[in-house]
Amino acid sequence: MKEKIIIRSVLRSQNPKNAFQGIRIAFDFTGEKAISNNANFKGTAENSCWYTDLKLFDKIPIELIGKPVDATFKAITNSRNPMKSISTIETIYYNGSSISLL
């Protein structure tokens, strides 16, 4: 599925105590369907994807932050519950080039 998103931040997380390391990409979907307006919430909800490849941090240039880009998503089986799947960004497209995250 291809969607237009705005990348808000890219975080590199390394914790030597529990051996966890990864990259978190925070983003918002754009467009009218992404905006909520109800009794308890107005606006767009922040979404995020986690990746274990630390090299992805350097693959995403600062020029992409805060700007609309196209992204394709892929459903991946949830490791904690195989009956569910989660969607993650597979590829980011901008200015005629692409960044593969998976």
Side-chain angles (χ1 to χ4, degrees):
M1 126 176 116
K2 194 170 195 178
E3 295 284 341
K4 192 163 284 289
I5 64 170
I6 295 175
I7 298 174
R8 294 290 174 202
S9 62
V10 180
L11 168 73
R12 181 186 350 236
S13 178
Q14 292 177 280
N15 186 344
K17 291 181 182 177
N18 65 7
F20 175 79
Q21 61 183 20
I23 300 297
R24 179 185 183 268
I25 299 174
F27 64 95
D28 295 336
F29 287 100
T30 63
E32 290 296 318
K33 67 181 180 178
I35 298 173
S36 295
N37 183 11
N38 58 50
N40 297 316
F41 184 80
K42 293 180 182 182
T44 59
E46 182 182 277
N47 299 277
S48 64
C49 295
W50 282 92
Y51 301 89
T52 56
D53 184 3
L54 291 176
K55 295 176 190 169
L56 293 180
F57 185 83
D58 296 324
K59 280 180 133 181
I60 300 174
I62 190 69
E63 294 81 23
L64 293 186
I65 306 300
K67 297 187 179 66
V69 296
D70 289 322
T72 55
F73 288 80
K74 181 177 183 180
I76 296 177
T77 302
N78 185 330
S79 60
R80 293 184 183 156
N81 184 349
M83 296 296 290
K84 293 184 178 182
S85 64
I86 55 173
S87 292
T88 189
I89 300 171
E90 181 177 30
T91 308
I92 299 170
Y93 300 94
Y94 72 101
N95 291 339
S97 43
S98 63
I99 301 171
S100 178
L101 304 180
L102 296 178

